[in-house]
Amino acid sequence: MKFGEILRELLEERELSQKQLAEDLNISASAVGNYVRNNREPDFETLKKFADYFHVSTDFLLNHHTKEGDPYLDQKILQIFHSLTAEQQELYIEQGKLFIRCNNRKKERSSLSSSKDKAV
């Protein structure tokens, strides 16, 4: 995913216009438009402004992979989590725990059925 696509997604999620973002960050609306269309890339200082504004890392904005896994998804989850109320965050965590328990049960069932197949 390119920077402009990530920026567009962040704007849409927050229901922000390019013009509003430009005003909030004190940069030109045309510059924001160029970033969203991937015609230009921001300089380092502007990139940091975007990261601070959206509460994400510059690696997230640049879709930079520094380790195994998908840092974009990791940052996306954190970004969503931080935008929730405290009560919603608790529910989010509980839902995640439920998914983990369900996955563990599936693994146990799969392991049991594999053991039975080998015994036959």
Side-chain angles (χ1 to χ4, degrees), residues 25-81:
L25 296 181
N26 198 28
I27 57 178
S28 73
S30 63
V32 173
N34 281 320
Y35 300 146
V36 169
R37 289 187 302 276
N38 286 308
N39 293 337
R40 289 185 53 210
E41 292 180 345
D43 60 27
F44 294 134
E45 289 305 312
T46 305
L47 185 66
K48 289 190 282 187
K49 284 182 181 182
F50 284 128
D52 290 342
Y53 185 84
F54 289 111
H55 306 288
V56 297
S57 70
T58 54
D59 283 350
F60 173 79
L61 291 171
L62 297 173
N63 199 19
H64 178 69
H65 303 269
T66 57
K67 61 181 179 184
E68 287 185 30
D70 189 344
Y72 176 80
L73 289 178
D74 292 346
Q75 285 289 316
K76 193 72 180 161
I77 289 168
L78 283 173
Q79 181 237 337
I80 291 168
F81 183 81

Side-chain angles (χ1 to χ4, degrees), residues 88-99 101:
Q88 291 169 330
Q89 288 176 345
E90 289 297 324
L91 290 171
Y92 193 80
I93 290 169
E94 290 305 314
Q95 287 177 331
K97 289 178 182 178
L98 180 62
F99 284 126
R101 286 194 298 272

Side-chain angles (χ1 to χ4, degrees), residues 98-114:
L98 180 62
F99 284 126
I100 292 168
R101 286 194 298 272
C102 288
N103 288 342
N104 288 337
R105 287 184 188 135
K106 286 180 185 178
K107 286 179 189 175
E108 288 172 11
R109 286 187 205 121
S110 176
S111 176
L112 287 175
S113 68
S114 294

